[in-house]
Coordinates of all heavy atoms in Angstrom, one line a residue:
M1 N 3.8 0.4 13.9 CA 3.7 -0.6 12.8 C 3.0 0.1 11.6 O 2.6 1.2 11.7 CB 2.9 -1.8 13.2 CG 3.2 -3.0 12.4 SD 2.3 -4.5 12.9 CE 0.6 -4.0 12.6
T2 N 3.0 -0.6 10.5 CA 2.2 -0.1 9.4 C 1.7 -1.3 8.6 O 2.0 -2.5 8.9 CB 3.2 0.7 8.4 OG1 2.4 1.2 7.3 CG2 4.3 -0.2 7.9
Y3 N 0.8 -1.1 7.7 CA 0.4 -2.1 6.8 C 1.2 -2.0 5.5 O 1.7 -0.9 5.2 CB -1.1 -2.0 6.5 CG -1.9 -2.7 7.5 CD1 -1.9 -2.2 8.9 CD2 -2.7 -3.8 7.3 CE1 -2.6 -2.9 9.9 CE2 -3.4 -4.4 8.2 CZ -3.4 -4.0 9.5 OH -4.1 -4.6 10.5
V4 N 1.3 -3.1 4.7 CA 2.1 -3.1 3.5 C 1.4 -3.7 2.4 O 0.7 -4.7 2.5 CB 3.4 -4.0 3.8 CG1 4.2 -4.2 2.6 CG2 4.3 -3.3 4.9
I5 N 1.5 -3.1 1.2 CA 0.9 -3.7 0.0 C 2.0 -4.5 -0.7 O 3.0 -3.9 -1.1 CB 0.3 -2.6 -0.9 CG1 -0.8 -1.8 -0.2 CG2 -0.3 -3.2 -2.2 CD1 -1.4 -0.7 -1.0
T6 N 1.7 -5.7 -0.9 CA 2.8 -6.6 -1.5 C 2.6 -6.6 -3.0 O 1.7 -6.0 -3.6 CB 2.6 -8.0 -1.0 OG1 1.4 -8.6 -1.4 CG2 2.8 -8.1 0.5
E7 N 3.5 -7.3 -3.7 CA 3.6 -7.4 -5.1 C 2.3 -8.0 -5.8 O 2.1 -7.9 -7.0 CB 4.9 -8.1 -5.6 CG 4.9 -9.6 -5.3 CD 5.3 -9.9 -3.9 OE1 5.5 -9.0 -3.1 OE2 5.3 -11.1 -3.6
A8 N 1.5 -8.6 -5.0 CA 0.3 -9.2 -5.5 C -0.6 -8.1 -6.1 O -1.5 -8.4 -6.9 CB -0.5 -10.0 -4.4
C9 N -0.4 -6.9 -5.7 CA -1.2 -5.8 -6.2 C -0.8 -5.4 -7.6 O -1.6 -4.9 -8.4 CB -1.0 -4.5 -5.3 SG -1.7 -3.0 -5.9
A10 N 0.4 -5.8 -8.0 CA 0.9 -5.4 -9.3 C 0.0 -5.9 -10.4 O -0.3 -7.0 -10.5 CB 2.4 -5.9 -9.5
G11 N -0.3 -4.9 -11.3 CA -1.1 -5.3 -12.4 C -2.6 -5.3 -12.1 O -3.5 -5.3 -13.0
N12 N -3.0 -5.2 -10.8 CA -4.4 -5.2 -10.4 C -4.8 -3.8 -10.1 O -5.7 -3.3 -10.6 CB -4.6 -6.1 -9.2 CG -4.5 -7.6 -9.5 OD1 -5.4 -8.1 -10.2 ND2 -3.5 -8.2 -9.1
K13 N -4.1 -3.2 -9.1 CA -4.3 -1.8 -8.7 C -5.8 -1.5 -8.5 O -6.4 -0.5 -8.9 CB -3.8 -0.8 -9.7 CG -2.3 -0.8 -9.8 CD -1.7 0.4 -10.4 CE -2.1 0.7 -11.8 NZ -1.4 1.8 -12.4
D14 N -6.5 -2.5 -7.8 CA -7.8 -2.2 -7.4 C -7.8 -1.1 -6.3 O -6.8 -1.1 -5.6 CB -8.4 -3.5 -6.7 CG -9.9 -3.3 -6.4 OD1 -10.2 -2.8 -5.3 OD2 -10.7 -3.7 -7.2
T15 N -8.7 -0.2 -6.4 CA -8.6 1.0 -5.5 C -9.5 0.9 -4.3 O -9.7 1.9 -3.6 CB -8.9 2.3 -6.3 OG1 -10.2 2.2 -6.9 CG2 -7.8 2.5 -7.3
A16 N -10.0 -0.3 -4.0 CA -10.9 -0.5 -2.8 C -10.1 -0.1 -1.5 O -10.7 0.5 -0.6 CB -11.4 -1.9 -2.7
C17 N -8.8 -0.4 -1.5 CA -8.1 0.0 -0.3 C -8.0 1.5 -0.1 O -8.1 2.0 1.0 CB -6.7 -0.7 -0.3 SG -5.7 -0.1 -1.8
W18 N -7.7 2.1 -1.3 CA -7.6 3.6 -1.3 C -8.9 4.2 -0.8 O -8.9 5.2 0.0 CB -7.3 4.1 -2.7 CG -7.1 5.5 -2.8 CD1 -6.1 6.3 -2.6 CD2 -8.2 6.4 -3.3 NE1 -6.4 7.6 -2.9 CE2 -7.7 7.7 -3.3 CE3 -9.5 6.2 -3.7 CZ2 -8.4 8.8 -3.7 CZ3 -10.3 7.3 -4.1 CH2 -9.7 8.6 -4.1
E19 N -10.0 3.7 -1.2 CA -11.3 4.2 -0.8 C -11.6 4.0 0.7 O -12.2 4.8 1.4 CB -12.4 3.6 -1.6 CG -12.4 4.0 -3.1 CD -13.4 3.3 -3.9 OE1 -14.4 2.8 -3.4 OE2 -13.2 3.3 -5.1
A20 N -11.1 2.8 1.2 CA -11.3 2.5 2.6 C -10.4 3.2 3.6 O -10.8 3.3 4.8 CB -11.1 1.0 2.8
C21 N -9.3 3.7 3.1 CA -8.3 4.3 4.1 C -8.8 5.6 4.6 O -8.9 6.6 3.9 CB -7.0 4.4 3.4 SG -5.7 5.1 4.5
P22 N -8.9 5.7 5.9 CA -9.3 7.0 6.5 C -8.2 8.0 6.7 O -8.4 9.1 7.1 CB -9.9 6.5 7.9 CG -9.0 5.4 8.2 CD -8.8 4.7 6.9
A23 N -6.9 7.5 6.5 CA -5.8 8.3 6.8 C -5.1 8.9 5.5 O -4.0 9.5 5.6 CB -4.8 7.5 7.6
D24 N -5.7 8.6 4.3 CA -5.0 9.0 3.1 C -3.6 8.6 3.0 O -2.7 9.3 2.6 CB -5.1 10.6 2.9 CG -4.8 11.0 1.5 OD1 -5.0 10.2 0.6 OD2 -4.3 12.2 1.3
A25 N -3.4 7.3 3.4 CA -2.0 6.8 3.5 C -1.7 6.0 2.3 O -0.5 5.5 2.1 CB -1.9 5.9 4.7
I26 N -2.6 5.7 1.4 CA -2.4 4.9 0.2 C -2.3 5.7 -1.1 O -3.2 6.5 -1.3 CB -3.5 3.8 0.1 CG1 -3.5 2.9 1.3 CG2 -3.3 3.0 -1.2 CD1 -4.7 1.9 1.4
H27 N -1.2 5.5 -1.8 CA -0.9 6.3 -3.0 C -0.3 5.4 -4.1 O 0.3 4.4 -3.7 CB 0.0 7.4 -2.7 CG -0.6 8.4 -1.7 ND1 -1.4 9.4 -2.0 CD2 -0.4 8.4 -0.3 CE1 -1.8 10.0 -0.9 NE2 -1.2 9.4 0.1
P28 N -0.4 5.7 -5.4 CA -1.2 6.8 -5.9 C -2.7 6.5 -5.9 O -3.1 5.4 -6.0 CB -0.6 7.0 -7.3 CG -0.2 5.6 -7.7 CD 0.3 4.9 -6.4
G29 N -3.5 7.6 -5.7 CA -4.9 7.4 -5.8 C -5.3 7.4 -7.3 O -4.6 7.9 -8.2
P30 N -6.5 7.0 -7.6 CA -7.0 6.9 -9.0 C -7.1 8.2 -9.7 O -7.1 8.3 -10.9 CB -8.3 6.2 -8.9 CG -8.8 6.4 -7.4 CD -7.5 6.4 -6.6
K31 N -7.1 9.3 -8.9 CA -7.2 10.6 -9.5 C -5.9 11.3 -9.7 O -5.8 12.4 -10.3 CB -8.1 11.5 -8.7 CG -9.6 11.1 -8.7 CD -10.5 11.9 -7.8 CE -11.8 11.3 -7.7 NZ -12.6 11.8 -6.5
D32 N -4.8 10.7 -9.1 CA -3.5 11.2 -9.3 C -3.0 11.1 -10.8 O -3.2 10.1 -11.4 CB -2.5 10.5 -8.4 CG -2.6 10.8 -6.9 OD1 -3.5 11.6 -6.6 OD2 -1.9 10.2 -6.1
A33 N -2.3 12.1 -11.2 CA -1.9 12.1 -12.6 C -0.9 10.9 -12.9 O -0.9 10.4 -14.0 CB -1.2 13.4 -12.9
S34 N -0.2 10.5 -11.9 CA 0.8 9.4 -12.0 C 0.2 8.0 -11.8 O 0.9 7.0 -11.9 CB 1.9 9.6 -11.0 OG 1.4 9.4 -9.7
F35 N -1.1 7.9 -11.6 CA -1.7 6.6 -11.3 C -1.4 5.6 -12.3 O -1.0 4.4 -12.0 CB -3.2 6.7 -11.2 CG -3.9 5.4 -10.8 CD1 -3.8 5.0 -9.5 CD2 -4.6 4.7 -11.7 CE1 -4.4 3.8 -9.1 CE2 -5.2 3.5 -11.4 CZ -5.1 3.0 -10.0
G36 N -1.5 5.9 -13.6 CA -1.3 4.9 -14.7 C 0.2 4.5 -14.8 O 0.5 3.5 -15.4
T37 N 1.1 5.2 -14.2 CA 2.5 4.9 -14.5 C 3.1 4.0 -13.4 O 4.2 3.6 -13.5 CB 3.4 6.2 -14.5 OG1 3.4 6.8 -13.2 CG2 2.9 7.2 -15.6
H38 N 2.4 3.7 -12.3 CA 2.9 2.9 -11.2 C 2.2 1.5 -11.3 O 1.1 1.4 -11.7 CB 2.5 3.5 -9.9 CG 3.2 4.8 -9.7 ND1 4.6 4.9 -9.5 CD2 2.8 6.1 -9.7 CE1 4.9 6.2 -9.4 NE2 3.8 6.9 -9.5
V39 N 3.0 0.5 -11.0 CA 2.6 -0.9 -11.2 C 1.7 -1.3 -10.0 O 0.9 -2.3 -10.2 CB 3.8 -1.9 -11.3 CG1 4.6 -1.6 -12.5 CG2 4.6 -1.8 -10.1
Q40 N 1.7 -0.7 -8.9 CA 0.9 -1.1 -7.8 C 0.7 0.2 -6.9 O 1.2 1.2 -7.1 CB 1.6 -2.2 -7.0 CG 2.9 -1.7 -6.2 CD 3.3 -2.7 -5.1 OE1 3.9 -3.7 -5.4 NE2 2.9 -2.4 -3.9
L41 N -0.2 0.0 -5.9 CA -0.4 1.0 -4.9 C 0.6 0.7 -3.7 O 1.0 -0.4 -3.5 CB -1.8 1.0 -4.4 CG -2.9 1.1 -5.5 CD1 -4.3 1.3 -4.8 CD2 -2.6 2.3 -6.4
Y42 N 0.8 1.8 -2.9 CA 1.7 1.7 -1.8 C 1.1 2.4 -0.5 O 0.3 3.3 -0.6 CB 3.0 2.4 -2.1 CG 3.7 2.0 -3.4 CD1 3.3 2.6 -4.6 CD2 4.5 0.9 -3.5 CE1 3.9 2.2 -5.8 CE2 5.1 0.5 -4.7 CZ 4.8 1.2 -5.8 OH 5.3 0.8 -7.1
I43 N 1.6 1.9 0.6 CA 1.1 2.5 1.9 C 2.3 3.3 2.5 O 3.4 2.8 2.7 CB 0.6 1.4 2.9 CG1 -0.6 0.8 2.3 CG2 0.4 2.0 4.3 CD1 -1.1 -0.4 3.1
D44 N 2.0 4.5 2.9 CA 3.0 5.4 3.5 C 3.1 5.0 5.0 O 2.1 5.2 5.8 CB 2.5 6.9 3.4 CG 3.6 7.8 3.9 OD1 4.5 7.4 4.7 OD2 3.5 9.0 3.5
P45 N 4.2 4.5 5.4 CA 4.3 4.0 6.8 C 4.3 5.1 7.8 O 4.0 4.9 9.0 CB 5.7 3.3 6.9 CG 6.5 3.9 5.7 CD 5.4 4.2 4.7
T46 N 4.5 6.4 7.4 CA 4.4 7.5 8.3 C 3.0 8.0 8.4 O 2.7 8.8 9.4 CB 5.3 8.7 7.9 OG1 4.8 9.2 6.7 CG2 6.7 8.2 7.7
E47 N 2.1 7.6 7.6 CA 0.7 8.1 7.6 C -0.3 7.0 8.1 O -1.3 7.3 8.6 CB 0.2 8.5 6.2 CG 1.0 9.7 5.7 CD 0.7 11.0 6.4 OE1 -0.3 11.1 7.1 OE2 1.6 11.9 6.4
C48 N 0.1 5.7 7.9 CA -0.8 4.6 8.3 C -1.0 4.6 9.8 O -0.1 4.7 10.6 CB -0.1 3.3 7.8 SG -1.1 1.8 8.3
I49 N -2.3 4.5 10.1 CA -2.7 4.4 11.6 C -3.0 3.0 12.0 O -3.7 2.8 13.1 CB -3.8 5.4 11.8 CG1 -5.1 5.1 11.0 CG2 -3.4 6.9 11.6 CD1 -6.3 5.9 11.3
D50 N -2.7 2.0 11.2 CA -2.9 0.6 11.6 C -4.4 0.3 11.9 O -4.6 -0.5 12.8 CB -2.1 0.3 12.8 CG -0.6 0.4 12.6 OD1 -0.2 0.3 11.4 OD2 0.2 0.6 13.5
C51 N -5.3 0.9 11.1 CA -6.7 0.6 11.4 C -7.2 -0.7 10.8 O -8.2 -1.2 11.2 CB -7.5 1.8 10.9 SG -7.7 1.8 9.1
S52 N -6.5 -1.2 9.8 CA -6.8 -2.5 9.1 C -7.9 -2.4 8.1 O -8.3 -3.4 7.6 CB -7.0 -3.6 10.2 OG -8.4 -3.6 10.6
A53 N -8.5 -1.2 7.9 CA -9.6 -1.1 7.0 C -9.3 -1.6 5.6 O -10.2 -2.1 4.8 CB -10.1 0.3 7.0
C54 N -8.0 -1.4 5.2 CA -7.7 -1.8 3.8 C -7.5 -3.3 3.6 O -7.8 -3.8 2.5 CB -6.4 -1.1 3.4 SG -5.0 -1.4 4.6
E55 N -7.1 -4.0 4.6 CA -6.7 -5.4 4.4 C -7.9 -6.2 3.9 O -7.7 -6.9 2.9 CB -6.2 -5.9 5.7 CG -5.7 -7.4 5.6 CD -5.2 -7.9 6.9 OE1 -5.4 -7.3 7.9 OE2 -4.7 -9.0 6.9
P56 N -9.1 -6.2 4.5 CA -10.1 -7.1 4.0 C -10.8 -6.7 2.7 O -11.4 -7.6 2.1 CB -11.2 -7.1 5.1 CG -10.9 -5.7 5.8 CD -9.5 -5.5 5.6
V57 N -10.6 -5.5 2.2 CA -11.3 -5.1 1.0 C -10.4 -5.4 -0.3 O -10.9 -5.2 -1.4 CB -11.7 -3.6 1.0 CG1 -12.7 -3.4 2.2 CG2 -10.5 -2.7 1.1
C58 N -9.2 -5.8 -0.1 CA -8.3 -6.1 -1.2 C -8.7 -7.4 -1.9 O -8.7 -8.4 -1.3 CB -6.8 -6.1 -0.8 SG -5.8 -6.6 -2.2
P59 N -9.1 -7.3 -3.2 CA -9.6 -8.5 -3.8 C -8.6 -9.6 -4.1 O -8.9 -10.7 -4.4 CB -10.2 -8.0 -5.1 CG -9.5 -6.7 -5.4 CD -9.2 -6.1 -4.1
V60 N -7.3 -9.2 -4.0 CA -6.2 -10.2 -4.3 C -5.4 -10.4 -3.0 O -4.3 -11.0 -3.1 CB -5.3 -9.7 -5.4 CG1 -6.1 -9.6 -6.7 CG2 -4.7 -8.3 -5.2
E61 N -5.9 -10.0 -1.9 CA -5.2 -10.3 -0.6 C -3.8 -9.9 -0.6 O -2.9 -10.6 -0.2 CB -5.4 -11.7 -0.2 CG -6.9 -12.1 0.0 CD -7.1 -13.6 0.4 OE1 -6.1 -14.3 0.6 OE2 -8.3 -14.0 0.5
A62 N -3.5 -8.7 -1.1 CA -2.2 -8.2 -1.2 C -1.7 -7.4 0.0 O -0.5 -7.1 0.1 CB -2.1 -7.2 -2.4
I63 N -2.6 -7.2 1.0 CA -2.2 -6.3 2.1 C -2.1 -7.0 3.4 O -2.9 -7.8 3.7 CB -3.3 -5.2 2.2 CG1 -3.4 -4.4 0.9 CG2 -2.9 -4.2 3.3 CD1 -4.5 -3.4 0.9
Y64 N -1.0 -6.7 4.1 CA -0.7 -7.4 5.4 C -0.2 -6.4 6.4 O 0.5 -5.4 6.0 CB 0.4 -8.4 5.2 CG 0.1 -9.5 4.3 CD1 0.3 -9.4 2.9 CD2 -0.4 -10.8 4.8 CE1 0.1 -10.5 2.0 CE2 -0.6 -11.8 3.9 CZ -0.4 -11.7 2.6 OH -0.7 -12.7 1.7
P65 N -0.4 -6.6 7.7 CA 0.3 -5.9 8.7 C 1.8 -6.2 8.5 O 2.2 -7.3 8.1 CB -0.2 -6.5 10.0 CG -1.4 -7.2 9.7 CD -1.3 -7.7 8.3
E66 N 2.6 -5.2 8.7 CA 4.1 -5.4 8.5 C 4.6 -6.6 9.1 O 5.4 -7.4 8.5 CB 4.8 -4.1 9.0 CG 6.3 -4.2 8.7 CD 7.0 -2.9 9.1 OE1 6.4 -2.1 9.8 OE2 8.2 -2.8 8.7
D67 N 4.2 -6.9 10.3 CA 4.7 -8.1 11.0 C 4.3 -9.4 10.4 O 4.8 -10.5 10.8 CB 4.4 -8.0 12.5 CG 5.1 -6.9 13.2 OD1 6.1 -6.4 12.7 OD2 4.7 -6.6 14.4
D68 N 3.3 -9.4 9.6 CA 2.7 -10.6 9.0 C 3.0 -10.8 7.5 O 2.4 -11.7 6.9 CB 1.2 -10.7 9.3 CG 0.8 -10.8 10.7 OD1 1.7 -11.2 11.5 OD2 -0.3 -10.4 11.1
V69 N 3.8 -9.9 7.0 CA 4.1 -10.0 5.5 C 4.8 -11.4 5.3 O 5.8 -11.7 6.0 CB 5.0 -8.9 5.1 CG1 5.5 -9.1 3.6 CG2 4.3 -7.5 5.2
P70 N 4.3 -12.2 4.3 CA 5.0 -13.5 4.1 C 6.4 -13.3 3.7 O 6.8 -12.3 3.1 CB 4.2 -14.0 2.9 CG 2.9 -13.3 2.9 CD 3.2 -11.9 3.5
E71 N 7.2 -14.3 4.1 CA 8.6 -14.2 3.9 C 9.0 -13.9 2.4 O 9.9 -13.0 2.2 CB 9.2 -15.6 4.2 CG 10.7 -15.7 4.2 CD 11.4 -14.9 5.3 OE1 10.8 -14.9 6.4 OE2 12.5 -14.4 5.1
E72 N 8.3 -14.5 1.5 CA 8.6 -14.3 0.1 C 8.3 -12.9 -0.4 O 8.7 -12.4 -1.5 CB 7.9 -15.3 -0.8 CG 6.4 -15.2 -0.8 CD 5.7 -16.1 0.3 OE1 6.4 -16.4 1.3 OE2 4.5 -16.3 0.1
S73 N 7.5 -12.1 0.4 CA 7.2 -10.7 0.1 C 7.8 -9.7 0.9 O 7.4 -8.5 0.9 CB 5.6 -10.6 0.2 OG 5.0 -11.5 -0.7
H74 N 8.8 -10.1 1.7 CA 9.4 -9.1 2.6 C 10.0 -7.9 1.9 O 10.1 -6.8 2.5 CB 10.5 -9.8 3.5 CG 10.0 -10.3 4.8 ND1 10.8 -10.8 5.8 CD2 8.7 -10.3 5.3 CE1 10.0 -11.2 6.8 NE2 8.8 -10.9 6.5
G75 N 10.4 -8.1 0.7 CA 10.9 -7.0 -0.1 C 9.9 -5.8 -0.2 O 10.3 -4.7 -0.4
S76 N 8.7 -6.2 -0.2 CA 7.6 -5.2 -0.3 C 7.6 -4.1 0.8 O 7.1 -3.0 0.6 CB 6.2 -5.8 -0.4 OG 6.1 -6.6 -1.6
I77 N 8.2 -4.5 2.0 CA 8.2 -3.5 3.1 C 9.0 -2.3 2.7 O 8.6 -1.2 2.8 CB 8.7 -4.2 4.4 CG1 7.8 -5.4 4.8 CG2 8.9 -3.2 5.5 CD1 8.4 -6.2 5.9
A78 N 10.2 -2.6 2.1 CA 11.1 -1.5 1.7 C 10.5 -0.8 0.5 O 10.6 0.4 0.3 CB 12.5 -2.0 1.4
V79 N 9.9 -1.6 -0.4 CA 9.3 -1.0 -1.6 C 8.3 0.0 -1.3 O 8.2 1.1 -1.9 CB 8.7 -2.1 -2.5 CG1 7.9 -1.5 -3.7 CG2 9.9 -2.9 -3.1
N80 N 7.4 -0.3 -0.3 CA 6.4 0.7 0.1 C 7.0 1.9 0.7 O 6.7 3.0 0.4 CB 5.4 0.0 1.1 CG 4.3 -0.8 0.4 OD1 3.1 -0.5 0.5 ND2 4.7 -1.9 -0.2
R81 N 7.9 1.7 1.7 CA 8.6 2.8 2.3 C 9.4 3.7 1.3 O 9.2 4.9 1.4 CB 9.6 2.3 3.4 CG 10.3 3.3 4.2 CD 11.4 2.7 5.1 NE 12.4 2.1 4.2 CZ 12.8 0.9 4.4 NH1 12.4 0.1 5.4 NH2 13.7 0.4 3.6
D82 N 10.1 3.0 0.5 CA 10.9 3.8 -0.5 C 10.1 4.6 -1.5 O 10.6 5.6 -2.0 CB 11.9 2.9 -1.2 CG 13.0 2.3 -0.2 OD1 13.0 2.7 0.9 OD2 13.6 1.3 -0.6
F83 N 8.9 4.1 -1.8 CA 8.1 4.9 -2.7 C 7.9 6.3 -2.2 O 7.9 7.3 -2.9 CB 6.7 4.2 -2.9 CG 5.8 5.0 -3.8 CD1 5.9 5.0 -5.1 CD2 4.7 5.7 -3.2 CE1 5.1 5.7 -5.9 CE2 3.9 6.4 -4.0 CZ 4.0 6.4 -5.4
F84 N 7.7 6.4 -0.9 CA 7.4 7.8 -0.3 C 8.7 8.6 0.0 O 8.7 9.8 -0.1 CB 6.6 7.6 1.0 CG 5.2 7.0 0.6 CD1 5.0 5.6 0.7 CD2 4.2 7.8 0.1 CE1 3.8 5.1 0.4 CE2 3.0 7.3 -0.2 CZ 2.8 5.9 -0.1
T85 N 9.8 7.9 0.3 CA 11.0 8.6 0.5 C 11.6 9.2 -0.8 O 12.3 10.2 -0.9 CB 12.1 7.8 1.2 OG1 12.3 6.6 0.5 CG2 11.7 7.5 2.6
A86 N 11.2 8.5 -1.9 CA 11.7 8.9 -3.2 C 10.8 10.0 -3.9 O 11.2 10.6 -4.8 CB 11.8 7.7 -4.2
R87 N 9.6 10.1 -3.3 CA 8.6 11.0 -3.9 C 8.9 12.4 -3.6 O 9.3 12.8 -2.5 CB 7.2 10.7 -3.3 CG 6.2 10.5 -4.3 CD 4.9 9.9 -3.8 NE 4.3 10.6 -2.6 CZ 3.0 10.9 -2.5 NH1 2.2 10.5 -3.5 NH2 2.6 11.4 -1.4
P88 N 8.8 13.3 -4.6 CA 9.0 14.7 -4.3 C 8.0 15.2 -3.3 O 6.9 14.7 -3.2 CB 8.7 15.4 -5.7 CG 8.5 14.4 -6.7 CD 8.4 13.1 -6.0
A89 N 8.4 16.1 -2.4 CA 7.5 16.6 -1.3 C 6.4 17.4 -1.9 O 6.5 17.9 -3.0 CB 8.3 17.5 -0.4
Ligands
SF4_1 S1 -4.3 0.1 7.9 FE1 -5.8 1.8 7.8 S2 -4.5 3.7 7.8 FE2 -3.2 2.0 7.2 S3 -3.2 2.0 5.0 FE3 -4.8 0.5 5.7 S4 -6.7 1.7 5.8 FE4 -5.0 3.2 5.7

């Protein structure tokens, strides 16, 4: 499984989740050159270790375990995954 950042993050981009993640699975980070160009943060499903540290620190409750993503936000599962498959290595 993985955790997923939903569209509630858009426009907020609070980085508490990024700071809390022990697996460096959340991108872009605030020091990344591309940080300002992305509307939200994303979780790499291949790096996430399902520790849940990010979920409670999100001030807008944008983060869910994949299996608990609300129906209206299911598109975010692919959005998070595709962010990393589209990213240059
Ligand atoms: S669940 Fe843990 S490993 Fe996965 S993105 Fe959140 S903090 Fe990082």
Side-chain angles (χ1 to χ4, degrees):
M1 203 181 64
T2 182
Y3 276 63
V4 173
I5 301 179
T6 64
E7 69 281 1
C9 175
N12 288 292
K13 294 199 301 185
D14 186 277
T15 56
C17 61
W18 178 84
E19 290 174 22
C21 181
D24 193 26
I26 299 176
H27 299 276
K31 294 177 186 159
D32 289 358
S34 65
F35 183 76
T37 66
H38 296 289
V39 297
Q40 67 164 83
L41 305 185
Y42 308 90
I43 294 174
D44 186 341
T46 68
E47 298 290 339
C48 177
I49 58 173
D50 298 333
C51 73
S52 82
C54 55
E55 184 181 8
V57 299
C58 177
V60 295
E61 299 181 2
I63 305 175
Y64 297 86
E66 182 175 10
D67 290 348
D68 295 339
V69 173
E71 185 73 32
E72 65 272 19
S73 298
H74 268 186
S76 292
I77 297 171
V79 168
N80 279 244
R81 183 190 61 230
D82 293 348
F83 175 77
F84 296 96
T85 53
R87 228 166 56 135

